[in-house]
Amino acid sequence: RRDIDLGVVNVVEPVVDMVLTPVTAGQKTPAETGSARPRPSTPQPKPGVSGAPSAPVLPMREIKGSLKVSQGRIRMAVSGTDRVLIIDTLNATLAAGGPGHPVTFDVSGVQGGYGGRFGVQGMVEWPENGRFDLPHLTACVRASLDQFELEPIGAVAQAVSHAPDMRGKLNATL
């Protein structure tokens, strides 16, 4: 088995702009209709081969490399309103060390217009069989929020669900 070394990929000052359509009263949310995410297809056995299909093997354990994002910006606006969630100064690193090494990540940013800060760090270890099998993944995650304003998060949550209004500032470490 041969490792694939991607080296370091740097993405500088990316901008992501999204406009969300609000869910109205009585309307089903994407999660309720099942359209929130694509359903995985079940592998079918090849003609002439008996037995249940095996789970796909993802070669994640064989890939080495890092993705670094610096000074990014995310803007999520709710259509027909003035409600916007902006994340400024988004910095992120995703690193895969290859077989026997965990995939690590570190994401941080500032909440635009409010000054709140967030950070998420952690790692994921792939099972020895190299298959993406969620119940058998080992992960460790640490998240922190400092003076993070809830109203813009609530606006985004309401656009895709029947979430209640949110107000206040959140300080938390998980």
Side-chain angles (χ1 to χ4, degrees):
R1 148 175 126 176
R2 207 174 93 186
D3 291 340
I4 300 169
D5 192 340
L6 300 175
V8 177
V9 176
N10 287 304
V11 181
V12 180
E13 296 183 4
V15 176
V16 176
D17 237 343
M18 294 182 272
V19 178
L20 305 170
T21 304
V23 174
T24 58
Q27 181 183 8
K28 288 189 174 187
T29 67
E32 292 168 331
T33 63
S35 65
R37 55 191 151 168
R39 298 193 187 279
S41 61
T42 303
Q44 300 299 319
K46 293 181 181 175
V49 177
S50 63
S54 62
V57 176
L58 298 179
M60 296 304 292
R61 291 179 47 89
E62 299 175 10
I63 295 176
K64 293 180 184 178
S66 296
L67 171 65
K68 294 184 179 186
V69 175
S70 49
Q71 301 300 309
R73 179 181 169 94
I74 299 173
R75 181 182 174 274
M76 289 183 263
V78 179
S79 178
T81 73
D82 60 354
R83 299 173 117 186
V84 177
L85 171 62
I86 296 174
I87 302 297
D88 282 327
T89 320
L90 179 69
N91 296 301
T93 302
L94 176 68
H101 299 280
V103 174
T104 60
F105 56 90
D106 187 346
V107 180
S108 64
V110 175
Q111 188 180 26
Y114 297 94
R117 298 182 177 280
F118 73 93
V120 181
Q121 302 84 31
M123 67 80 162
V124 176
E125 279 197 30
W126 295 93
E128 287 301 315
N129 66 10
R131 296 177 191 264
F132 183 82
D133 186 8
L134 196 54
H136 295 99
L137 290 179
T138 302
C140 177
V141 178
R142 178 182 166 93
S144 62
L145 297 166
D146 181 36
Q147 295 294 305
F148 212 78
E149 179 61 48
L150 294 175
E151 191 277 330
I153 296 169
V156 170
Q158 287 174 337
V160 296
S161 70
H162 297 293
D165 281 335
M166 296 181 199
R167 301 267 187 259
K169 291 191 179 206
L170 182 61
N171 292 303
T173 301
L174 307 170

